[in-house]
Amino acid sequence: MAERITGVLSPVVTPFKADLSPDAERLAKQCRWLLSQDVGLAVFGTNSEANSLSVEEKIDLLDCLSEAHVDPARMMPGTGCCAITDSVRLTAHAVKLGCAGVLMLPPFYYKGVSDEGLFRNFAEVIERVGDKRLRIYLYNIPPVSQVPITVALIERLLGAYPDNVAGIKDSSGDWNNTKAYLDNFAGHGFDVFPGSESFLLRGMRNGGAGCISATANVNPGRIAQLFATWSNADADSQQAGLDEIRGIFARYPMIPALKTAIAHYSGDESWVTVRPPLVELTAEQKDSLIDELDRAGFIMPGLAA
Amino acid sequence: MAERITGVLSPVVTPFKADLSPDAERLAKQCRWLLSQDVGLAVFGTNSEANSLSVEEKIDLLDCLSEAHVDPARMMPGTGCCAITDSVRLTAHAVKLGCAGVLMLPPFYYKGVSDEGLFRNFAEVIERVGDKRLRIYLYNIPPVSQVPITVALIERLLGAYPDNVAGIKDSSGDWNNTKAYLDNFAGHGFDVFPGSESFLLRGMRNGGAGCISATANVNPGRIAQLFATWSNADADSQQAGLDEIRGIFARYPMIPALKTAIAHYSGDESWVTVRPPLVELTAEQKDSLIDELDRAGFIMPGLAA
């Protein structure tokens, strides 16, 4: 088996053309820039507006990234959909292209579903894909999905599919929840990625595998630097620097703010486009965000239009 | 323009084969039975497990219903998806087949989205479908979608697309919310369907257009009867009878309970199958449900395996 993917990953924001169609060429370029910053590619995450894309659009984008020689060993595309048939189709395609893993949301339409129902969902996907290379990273993001992934569910999935169930991204925003995953599973072939670099250092000190974070789209180099040097003496100081930048973005709607920063620092204004139901930042929000970032000395090295 | 669809509609439960694929033949048969009870067909609703089906599976089922001569003038399929491209594809197909309308969820992955973002979503779908025959019924179901549809949003959509925005199904479960829709829009070319027959009589007395209700899958005849005779002297007594049956189903997980009742009273046990993340009733729940229904004198006339 190939080495497992670890470190810092970005849920890569998806560029759209004026007609709202995804722009594969600009996405490939953005992926290459992130890789140059030592950040991996969790394309089709929440911050990628993945659920605002059809399965066909996602398959087309994966094919384009593959043709553009973006390294699949550095990719963990989001493939969890509400319909099992969609999850299977997208997951099988990602495995076929050689992706290091897939990040899998639970089906998120029905609320209050049972662990039994969620187990059956993931089991059905694993069985139907039926590929030893499949590595699933579960995606816990109850503030958005409203469907939490419990320790008991993970235990059951790991017991049934130890070769396929590889880890979790925890975007609960609740350190105690991340800690529970780490305490139960770290070091047992199940990799825990906090969903924000705010928890990167704490995660690494407790056996974490890195982080998968929205703001790795805009601050990749410094986050990757902390991952690489977290046992150094200056780690807490590095973490404080990351928290400052994260704190600025967290004061705005996250996805439009990420795109606004990329548009501004790359000089490519078309990056601001989002698909409904999201809306771009207002002019006032944009000015305020850029002003805050400039005052913090924020830069995006190597990013070009 | 064709006459508008009104009355009682059922979010038709979707039968699955043992391999979890949708069974178009049994669905067509069930649709014909519902039509025989004077109940219309809101296929692909929440109770249809619509979001557990891919767009392709839904298009295939629509084609099969069309080929089976199920009357499209009595159909209001659910076509609202998280991705605009999916909503457009499915909606355009329903319009092409001559469906009376479509029931449209807002995109439901992101939470806390703005009315501006939701307006852009529906506007984009309407513009892209670009068909005068399109009649959209908005679908307000905040307990599940977590994305409410406000009076202000409806006003804006009606102002921009008076020919296409035709009404709403309100599954808020909150009569005050349904009443606000009725007070603002009833009689202004915008039809309000409460999302349960519990509100059928109150709805009709306030200008409602009928109801679209889970339990119309199992108790269609008597619900349609109240719709047809709501101004009769026995209307309150009829409503009480409907409430009793609704109350029984409401004590169980709704979708598996509906399927269990259909399986039991038709003698076709395969009806109990649900797709994950849902699970079928336990043996105890099933026995208790059927016992309660039998004691209430519940029947499903004309339903056969």
Side-chain angles (χ1 to χ4, degrees):
Chain A
M1 292 287 285
E3 204 178 326
R4 288 202 175 188
I5 190 167
T6 57
V8 179
L9 284 85
S10 170
V12 189
V13 287
T14 305
F16 294 111
K17 300 177 187 173
D19 66 359
L20 299 182
S21 63
D23 189 332
E25 200 175 316
R26 275 196 294 152
L27 178 62
K29 190 174 163 195
Q30 194 70 8
C31 286
R32 277 193 286 267
W33 177 70
L34 289 165
L35 290 174
S36 79
Q37 307 288 306
D38 289 326
V39 159
L41 308 169
V43 295
F44 311 153
T46 298
N47 289 282
S48 316
E49 299 170 78
N51 289 307
S52 300
L53 301 170
S54 69
V55 172
E56 289 73 25
E57 289 173 323
K58 284 181 264 201
I59 285 177
D60 285 349
L61 284 174
L62 280 184
D63 286 341
C64 289
L65 293 178
S66 178
E67 286 156 21
H69 304 293
V70 173
D71 184 5
R74 298 290 289 144
M75 287 180 63
M76 187 197 289
T79 63
C81 306
C82 288
I84 280 178
T85 37
D86 283 335
S87 299
V88 169
R89 186 174 162 209
L90 190 51
T91 302
H93 199 77
V95 172
K96 192 182 90 180
L97 293 180
C99 292
V102 298
L103 187 56
M104 195 168 289
L105 277 170
F108 52 84
Y109 183 65
Y110 295 106
K111 309 305 186 291
V113 295
S114 63
D115 274 5
E116 171 67 24
L118 293 175
F119 176 83
R120 290 187 195 179
N121 169 77
F122 291 116
E124 194 73 29
V125 174
I126 292 168
E127 300 274 359
R128 291 190 187 199
V129 172
D131 195 310
K132 277 171 25 178
R133 294 171 299 170
L134 169 61
R135 283 179 180 159
I136 287 184
Y137 295 82
L138 304 167
Y139 187 3
N140 185 57
I141 182 168
V144 183
S145 68
Q146 310 273 329
V147 179
I149 293 174
T150 65
V151 166
L153 173 62
I154 298 168
E155 277 172 354
R156 194 169 160 202
L157 283 166
L158 267 178
Y161 304 102
D163 297 335
N164 298 118
V165 177
I168 195 163
K169 174 187 180 187
D170 184 21
S171 296
S172 64
D174 172 4
W175 169 251
N176 290 329
N177 190 68
T178 306
K179 184 72 165 38
Y181 293 153
L182 287 162
D183 290 348
N184 278 280
F185 306 115
H188 295 78
F190 185 84
D191 296 326
V192 179
F193 294 83
S196 160
E197 75 273 23
S198 312
F199 300 122
L200 176 55
L201 186 52
R202 269 189 281 184
M204 296 312 297
R205 286 174 176 163
N206 288 275
C211 72
I212 305 174
S213 176
T215 32
N217 273 290
V218 288
N219 199 22
R222 292 209 288 167
I223 304 175
Q225 173 71 10
L226 176 55
F227 171 76
T229 63
W230 68 270
S231 54
N232 286 7
D234 71 342
D236 286 288
S237 156
Q238 283 191 58
Q239 180 70 61
L242 300 186
D243 291 347
E244 183 191 359
I245 299 302
R246 173 92 189 180
I248 294 173
F249 281 95
R251 286 193 278 279
Y252 301 85
M254 181 59 80
I255 299 167
L258 296 172
K259 287 186 152 181
T260 295
I262 294 169
H264 178 78
Y265 292 101
S266 72
D268 176 358
E269 190 56 28
S270 66
W271 263 106
V272 301
T273 307
V274 290
R275 271 196 177 177
L278 302 187
V279 295
E280 64 283 356
L281 297 190
T282 64
E284 293 70 26
Q285 285 174 319
K286 181 190 164 176
D287 290 348
S288 168
L289 169 67
I290 300 302
D291 182 57
E292 285 198 77
L293 290 171
D294 282 347
R295 280 190 285 120
F298 177 78
I299 51 168
M300 293 181 73
L303 185 72
Chain B
M1 291 290 286
E3 204 179 325
R4 287 202 175 188
I5 190 167
T6 57
V8 179
L9 286 85
S10 169
V12 189
V13 288
T14 306
F16 294 111
K17 300 178 187 171
D19 66 358
L20 299 183
S21 63
D23 188 332
E25 200 175 316
R26 275 196 294 153
L27 179 62
K29 190 174 162 195
Q30 194 70 7
C31 286
R32 276 192 287 267
W33 177 71
L34 289 164
L35 290 174
S36 78
Q37 307 286 309
D38 289 327
V39 159
L41 308 169
V43 295
F44 311 153
T46 297
N47 290 282
S48 317
E49 300 171 76
N51 289 307
S52 301
L53 301 170
S54 69
V55 172
E56 288 74 24
E57 288 172 324
K58 285 182 262 200
I59 285 178
D60 285 349
L61 284 174
L62 280 184
D63 287 340
C64 289
L65 293 179
S66 178
E67 286 157 22
H69 305 292
V70 173
D71 184 5
R74 298 290 289 144
M75 287 181 62
M76 186 196 289
T79 63
C81 306
C82 289
I84 281 178
T85 38
D86 283 335
S87 299
V88 168
R89 187 174 162 210
L90 190 51
T91 303
H93 198 77
V95 172
K96 193 182 89 180
L97 293 180
C99 293
V102 298
L103 187 56
M104 196 168 289
L105 277 170
F108 52 85
Y109 183 65
Y110 294 106
K111 309 303 186 292
V113 296
S114 64
D115 273 4
E116 171 67 23
L118 292 175
F119 177 83
R120 289 187 196 180
N121 170 77
F122 291 116
E124 193 75 26
V125 174
I126 292 168
E127 300 275 1
R128 290 189 187 200
V129 172
D131 194 310
K132 277 171 25 180
R133 294 172 298 171
L134 169 61
R135 283 179 181 159
I136 287 183
Y137 296 82
L138 305 167
Y139 188 2
N140 186 57
I141 183 167
V144 183
S145 68
Q146 310 272 329
V147 179
I149 293 174
T150 65
V151 166
L153 173 61
I154 298 168
E155 276 171 354
R156 193 167 161 203
L157 284 166
L158 267 177
Y161 304 103
D163 296 335
N164 298 116
V165 177
I168 195 162
K169 173 186 181 189
D170 184 21
S171 295
S172 65
D174 173 5
W175 169 251
N176 290 329
N177 190 68
T178 307
K179 184 72 163 42
Y181 293 154
L182 287 162
D183 290 347
N184 277 280
F185 305 115
H188 295 79
F190 185 85
D191 296 326
V192 178
F193 295 82
S196 161
E197 74 274 23
S198 312
F199 300 122
L200 176 56
L201 186 53
R202 270 190 280 185
M204 296 313 296
R205 286 174 175 162
N206 288 274
C211 72
I212 305 174
S213 176
T215 32
N217 274 291
V218 287
N219 199 22
R222 293 209 287 167
I223 303 175
Q225 173 71 10
L226 176 55
F227 172 75
T229 63
W230 68 270
S231 54
N232 285 7
D234 71 343
D236 287 288
S237 156
Q238 282 191 59
Q239 179 71 61
L242 301 185
D243 291 348
E244 184 193 358
I245 300 301
R246 173 92 187 180
I248 294 173
F249 281 96
R251 286 193 278 279
Y252 301 86
M254 181 59 80
I255 299 167
L258 297 172
K259 287 187 152 182
T260 295
I262 294 169
H264 178 78
Y265 292 101
S266 72
D268 177 359
E269 190 57 27
S270 66
W271 263 107
V272 301
T273 308
V274 291
R275 269 195 178 178
L278 302 187
V279 296
E280 64 283 356
L281 297 190
T282 63
E284 293 70 26
Q285 285 175 319
K286 182 190 165 178
D287 289 347
S288 168
L289 169 67
I290 300 303
D291 182 58
E292 285 198 75
L293 290 172
D294 282 347
R295 280 191 283 121
F298 177 77
I299 51 168
M300 293 182 73
L303 186 72

